[in-house]
Amino acid sequence: MQTENPLPTFEVVEAKVHRGERLTEADGVALFREPNLLKVGLLANSVREKRHGDRTYFNKNMRIEVTNVCVASCLFCSFAKLEEHMPGAHTMTLEEAWKELEDRMADPPSEVHVVNGLHPGLPFTYYEELLRGFKRIKPDLHLKCFTAVEIHFFAELYKMSYEEVLTKLRAAGLDSLPGGGAEIFHPEVRTRISNDKATADQYLEIHRVAHRMGMKTNTTMLYGHIETFEHRVDHILRVRALQDETGGFQAFIPLAFHPDGNGMKNLPAPTAVDDLRTIAVSRLMLDNVDHIKAYWVSLTPDVAQIALSYGADDIDGTIVHETIYKAAGSTSPSGLSYDELVRLIREAGRTPIERDTFYNVVKEHAKSALPEAAMKVRDRKQNRHLEVLS
Ligand code: V47
C-alpha cells in the first residue's frame, strides 16, 4: 500500500472533491485518519446533496431468513448453526416461508430480502419453489434474494456455473442480489474471519456475472472488527473498480460489526464516530455508486438518522423480522413502521421518498424539518415539564 508515503492533508483532498477529481487510496486513508469528523462529514454531505439534494430513500420491505443452518464458520456470525439438530437451528418449510409473506398481505411489502445460512442438505428445487411461491402470492413483488456467498455455495453443491445458478433462479422469480457476504475483501482479514466460503474474487465474479446478465445488485462492507483503515479503503476500491467495469451496483452499505455471541465477542463494537466516518468516506470514494445506505438495523435508527447528513441518502426499509443482527446483540427494533421511517427522515431535515428496489419513486412525501404534529407533541410535553417544575 502507498500509505508509507506522507498522506495528503485534508485540504488537498477537499480541493480534489470540489474539482470533481477521483480520490486515491492515500486520500481515502487520509480521510479515515482526519481527526475532525465534522470536516469529513460536511464534505461528504456536499457530494450527497449534489447528487440527491434532500431526497432520502426508503422502501417497504421484509426480511425472511429461511434457514440458519450453515456449514461456514465466520468469526463474526452469531446467527448460524452448524447442523440441523443443534439447539436453535431452524429451517422453514416452504409453506412456513410463504406464510410469512401471506401474513403481511394486508399491507404488503414491495420487496422481500432473503439471506440464509449455507445449508448442505436442501435440494436446489427448494430455493426455486420458494421464489415461485412468493411470486404466486404477489406477482409484482421484487425478490432480492441470496448473497453472492450463497450463489457460490449453490454452484459448488449443485455442480453448476454461476451463470447457470443465476439463470435458473431468475427463471423462478429472482430479481436482484443483496449485498451480503462481502465482509472485508483483503485476504489478510478475510482468511481470518471467514476462510471457508466464497473468496473476494469469487464474490466479485458473481456480481460481475449478475451485472452482465442485466441484474442489479447491492454490495456491503462489514467494518469495525480486526480490519485497518487501509483494509477498508482497499475494499471500497475493489467495489469501485468493478463498478467502473459493469455499473451494476445500486447501493453500497457499510455494516457495523456487532460482537455479541460470536467468535469476536471480545472486541468492542464500532463507535458512532466510526460509523459516521465510514459512511462519509464511502460516499467520497465511491464516485460511481449512486446510493450509500445507512442500514438502520446495524447503525441504530438514531445514528442512521445522523448519517443522512454524513453522505447517506438511503435508510433501508420497514424490514419487520430481522434476526442476524438481533442474534449479534443489536438493540435496534426488528422493524420500523412506515410512519416512523418517514418521521426519522423528516426530522433529519430531509425529504422522504418511498422507492421500489430500483429507486423508482413510489411516493414522494413533503419535506418538513419538524412537521406540525411533532411540534404539537413537543409543545404539550414541554408544557407538562413546566407544570411539574412549577
Ligand atoms: O452478510 C453478519 C453481516 C450481512 C454480523 O443488500 C454482521 O440491501 C455485523 O448483507 N455484525 C447480512 N454484521 C445483511 C446484509 C444486508 C443488510 C441490509 C441491506 C442489504 C442490501 C444487505 O450481515 C452478512 C454479514 O456481512 N453480518 N453478522 C455481525 N455480527
Side-chain angles (χ1 to χ4, degrees), residues 227-245:
E227 87 291 358
T228 60
F229 290 149
E230 284 79 1
H231 292 132
R232 292 188 201 178
V233 173
D234 171 79
H235 186 102
I236 292 169
L237 290 181
R238 291 186 202 218
V239 168
R240 193 170 79 181
L242 181 55
Q243 183 74 340
D244 276 344
E245 209 184 301

Side-chain angles (χ1 to χ4, degrees), residues 99-326:
K99 186 165 183 309
E100 295 264 318
L101 175 61
E102 277 160 356
D103 289 348
R104 289 281 312 282
M105 286 307 284
D107 181 19
S110 63
E111 168 193 290
V112 168
H113 175 181
V114 175
V115 181
N116 300 313
L118 307 178
H119 194 304
L122 294 168
F124 189 64
T125 50
Y126 173 90
Y127 301 101
E128 293 177 301
E129 277 312 304
L130 178 75
L131 301 178
R132 286 205 179 94
F134 287 146
K135 289 276 184 177
R136 265 197 305 275
I137 298 166
K138 190 174 189 295
D140 64 344
L141 184 70
H142 183 105
L143 295 179
K144 184 177 83 178
C145 307
F146 315 123
T147 65
V149 167
E150 289 166 81
I151 302 295
H152 172 77
F153 179 73
F154 295 160
E156 290 209 320
L157 186 66
Y158 308 117
K159 310 216 173 344
M160 286 187 263
S161 68
Y162 296 152
E163 190 161 351
E164 280 166 342
V165 173
L166 290 171
T167 303
K168 280 178 188 281
L169 292 174
R170 192 146 77 153
L174 182 69
D175 294 299
S176 69
L177 295 185
E183 325 315 357
I184 288 286
F185 291 140
H186 198 287
E188 276 167 15
V189 179
R190 197 171 188 87
T191 51
R192 290 173 66 196
I193 66 168
S194 51
N195 202 20
D196 52 2
K197 68 180 189 190
T199 61
D201 286 347
Q202 288 162 339
Y203 175 99
L204 290 167
E205 176 60 14
I206 287 162
H207 284 269
R208 181 180 286 111
V209 171
H211 297 168
R212 211 169 44 218
M213 290 169 62
M215 291 173 88
K216 292 289 183 191
T217 71
N218 287 341
T219 188
T220 58
M221 173 174 74
L222 174 64
Y223 67 91
H225 42 91
I226 61 166
E227 87 291 358
T228 60
F229 290 149
E230 284 79 1
H231 292 132
R232 292 188 201 178
V233 173
D234 171 79
H235 186 102
I236 292 169
L237 290 181
R238 291 186 202 218
V239 168
R240 193 170 79 181
L242 181 55
Q243 183 74 340
D244 276 344
E245 209 184 301
T246 66
F249 288 127
Q250 297 207 108
F252 181 71
I253 311 152
L255 297 170
F257 169 61
H258 285 251
D260 283 10
N262 58 52
M264 295 194 282
K265 59 177 177 292
N266 294 330
L267 296 178
T271 62
V273 167
D274 197 8
D275 293 333
L276 295 172
R277 191 189 297 283
T278 306
I279 294 271
V281 178
S282 304
R283 177 62 287 162
L284 290 165
M285 295 296 293
L286 289 172
D287 54 5
N288 56 1
V289 176
D290 264 350
H291 301 283
I292 303 293
K293 194 186 275 193
Y295 181 45
W296 63 261
V297 176
S298 97
L299 294 174
T300 74
D302 293 350
V303 175
Q305 194 181 27
I306 302 168
L308 300 180
S309 301
Y310 280 76
D313 61 280
D314 188 313
I315 198 163
D316 207 82
T318 45
I319 300 176
V320 188
H321 282 307
E322 201 284 331
T323 55
I324 295 179
Y325 283 81
K326 269 272 153 307

Side-chain angles (χ1 to χ4, degrees), residues 314-350:
D314 188 313
I315 198 163
D316 207 82
T318 45
I319 300 176
V320 188
H321 282 307
E322 201 284 331
T323 55
I324 295 179
Y325 283 81
K326 269 272 153 307
S330 164
T331 54
S332 297
S334 55
L336 284 179
S337 72
Y338 188 97
D339 291 346
E340 280 169 320
L341 280 174
V342 168
R343 178 172 161 251
L344 278 179
I345 296 168
R346 273 191 172 152
E347 290 207 6
R350 302 298 193 188

Side-chain angles (χ1 to χ4, degrees), residues 61-134:
N61 60 353
M62 75 182 284
R63 274 289 280 279
I64 303 183
E65 286 103 17
V66 292
T67 180
N68 62 356
V69 174
C70 188
V71 294
S73 50
C74 302
L75 270 193
F76 54 80
C77 186
S78 319
F79 162 79
K81 304 286 170 201
L82 196 55
E83 287 169 10
E84 190 75 68
H85 64 264
M86 287 171 81
H90 184 63
T91 301
M92 289 183 187
T93 62
L94 289 171
E95 289 70 23
E96 282 170 336
W98 296 330
K99 186 165 183 309
E100 295 264 318
L101 175 61
E102 277 160 356
D103 289 348
R104 289 281 312 282
M105 286 307 284
D107 181 19
S110 63
E111 168 193 290
V112 168
H113 175 181
V114 175
V115 181
N116 300 313
L118 307 178
H119 194 304
L122 294 168
F124 189 64
T125 50
Y126 173 90
Y127 301 101
E128 293 177 301
E129 277 312 304
L130 178 75
L131 301 178
R132 286 205 179 94
F134 287 146

Side-chain angles (χ1 to χ4, degrees), residues 343-363:
R343 178 172 161 251
L344 278 179
I345 296 168
R346 273 191 172 152
E347 290 207 6
R350 302 298 193 188
T351 305
I353 312 281
E354 183 191 344
R355 61 164 175 86
D356 67 12
T357 309
F358 297 129
Y359 289 85
N360 297 308
V361 175
V362 175
K363 181 171 180 183

